[in-house]
Amino acid sequence: MAAELTNYLHSLARRLHLEPAEEQDILLELEGHLEDKAAELESQGLDRAAAYQLAVQEMGAPDRVANGMYKVHSPIVWRDVILATLPHFLLAALFALHLWSHYFLVTLLVIGIALVTWKNWRAGNPSKWSYSWMGYSLAAPTLSWLLALITLSYGGWTLVTTGHLPFNIVLFFLLVGYVPFSMWIVFRVGRKVMRRDWLLASLTALPFPFLTSWVLFLDWQGGLWASGAEGKQSSDTSLAFIFLALAVTTAVFLKIGPRLIKIGLLTLTTAILVTISAVSLPVSLNVVAIFMMIVASVVFLLSPAVVESKRNQRHYRQAAMESTGLESAGEVVTHWFCNTT
């Protein structure tokens, strides 16, 4: 197979973001079509390299072709939409009914969400609806890591300024061990989430800004476990509304086709809901602070795109070098799609 065709198919494969089996069928069909077109052009007098180059040009840019395929093959059934929105509805109910301070109930909910996520992800080919479940599964280690880091910082500062720790030294060393461990878990799982589609990874991260701001507010008020935490429910109604809005956003995200509209949906929803969240907190925040919160949340939400872009660039360079090397050695490249993982 010509290097031109190999690079084109590699580029297309990284942009399809469909089910692996479906991607393979589509790419094999396109490969056959391009091979036939190149053979036809060769029979008309073009040399082999020029024939492949013209066949690829006539097929169109990988972005445009991938977007067209994505629109046709990405629609999701309503059953999956309902499943995807379920964890958002559960969180909305938790705040609407002021049940978040019932820690046993919250623990059961977190364990249940984690088990559903694990069951769907363990086979290595998760359904699209499970990405929202993964978001809440990752929230527990992520937020606990954040709180542990805050506690360590406070303990370290107190130790430096006063000469003693504000809590037990055993707890201090447990936190020292937990912080890198939880980071490792989140990083490892996060890589798997982003491997399929950065946009689905952004959907996974959708509730993080709101859960983070809520947990930080509680910590600022004395901590999640402090006495009187049950009374800190002034923002429960707005949080319930936010998670209902996240459920609606998730449903729309999964049903619409164009990726650009999905990106706009996530960005706009995040900006609006971060503003509502900031205004609902019983603290005084100026416009600049709210704007910075919006920017930070949107950047965080779209950061998987940067990670995937860098990963794709490395992959394209490697694929180009491999295909060029194989061609120069006179070898035939087959099953090229096996090298895309």
Side-chain angles (χ1 to χ4, degrees):
M1 186 188 301
E4 183 83 21
L5 180 54
T6 301
N7 293 337
Y8 180 83
L9 292 173
H10 272 296
S11 180
L12 191 60
R14 305 303 298 182
R15 290 170 165 82
L16 279 178
H17 305 301
L18 298 172
E19 298 292 340
E22 192 173 23
E23 282 188 10
Q24 181 173 318
D25 291 341
I26 291 171
L27 293 168
L28 284 173
E29 183 178 347
L30 288 175
E31 178 185 348
H33 174 76
L34 289 169
E35 291 278 9
D36 292 342
K37 183 63 178 179
E40 178 186 338
L41 292 171
E42 278 191 83
S43 67
Q44 295 175 4
L46 290 178
D47 61 62
R48 186 168 183 266
Y52 274 110
Q53 184 175 8
L54 184 56
V56 166
Q57 289 176 355
E58 290 183 357
M59 177 63 70
D63 282 334
R64 184 180 63 80
V65 175
N67 285 336
M69 294 291 180
Y70 186 84
K71 291 177 184 178
V72 173
H73 295 277
S74 66
I76 189 171
V77 297
W78 277 107
R79 169 188 167 275
D80 288 348
V81 172
I82 294 172
L83 287 173
T85 59
L86 185 56
H88 299 304
F89 283 124
L90 290 174
L91 265 291
L94 203 65
F95 284 101
L97 300 175
H98 309 297
L99 296 175
W100 61 264
S101 58
H102 295 253
Y103 304 124
F104 179 73
L105 178 62
V106 173
T107 302
L108 289 179
L109 180 61
V110 171
I111 293 174
I113 290 175
L115 286 175
V116 171
T117 305
W118 172 78
K119 185 175 181 180
N120 193 262
W121 279 73
R122 64 177 178 172
N125 186 26
S127 303
K128 286 184 179 180
W129 62 261
S130 68
Y131 280 80
S132 57
W133 291 75
M134 176 59 80
Y136 289 103
S137 298
L138 286 177
T142 302
L143 295 176
S144 61
W145 168 82
L146 180 61
L147 291 176
L149 193 61
I150 292 173
T151 304
L152 275 178
S153 301
Y154 170 69
W157 174 255
T158 304
L159 180 63
V160 170
T161 55
T162 66
H164 62 84
L165 285 170
F167 43 77
N168 190 287
I169 191 170
V170 175
L171 176 61
F172 180 80
F173 283 108
L174 285 175
L175 291 175
V176 169
Y178 178 74
V179 167
F181 174 70
S182 57
M183 284 183 64
W184 175 78
I185 291 176
V186 173
F187 178 76
R188 184 178 177 86
V189 177
R191 284 187 62 187
K192 291 185 178 181
V193 172
M194 286 187 286
R195 188 170 296 170
R196 176 173 170 186
D197 185 355
W198 74 263
L199 202 48
L200 287 174
S202 295
L203 181 68
T204 300
L206 191 58
F208 274 55
F210 314 105
L211 289 172
T212 302
S213 62
W214 175 69
V215 169
L216 289 177
F217 170 71
L218 285 184
D219 185 70
W220 178 64
Q221 290 289 310
L224 188 64
W225 309 101
S227 59
E230 295 85 351
K232 300 168 185 171
Q233 299 173 343
S234 58
S235 60
D236 281 9
T237 301
S238 61
L239 283 168
F241 170 78
I242 285 172
F243 286 105
L244 284 175
L246 293 183
V248 174
T249 301
T250 299
V252 175
F253 176 95
L254 292 174
K255 290 302 291 183
I256 60 177
R259 291 176 64 82
L260 191 60
I261 296 179
K262 292 185 176 186
I263 296 171
L265 173 68
L266 293 181
T267 303
L268 182 61
T269 299
T270 300
I272 294 173
L273 295 183
V274 166
T275 303
I276 294 173
S277 177
V279 172
S280 66
L281 292 174
V283 293
S284 179
L285 295 174
N286 57 35
V287 175
V288 175
I290 295 175
F291 177 75
M292 293 302 294
M293 289 175 63
I294 292 173
V295 171
S297 298
V298 171
V299 168
F300 168 75
L301 204 64
L302 300 182
S303 59
V306 178
V307 176
E308 182 171 277
S309 176
K310 292 183 178 180
R311 184 163 60 91
N312 285 346
Q313 288 175 6
R314 291 196 301 268
H315 178 82
Y316 297 150
R317 287 195 295 266
Q318 181 182 358
M321 292 174 62
E322 289 177 355
S323 61
T324 302
L326 288 170
E327 280 220 329
S328 63
E331 298 182 19
V332 178
V333 182
T334 59
H335 302 300
W336 59 270
F337 49 83
C338 295
N339 297 322
T340 63
T341 57

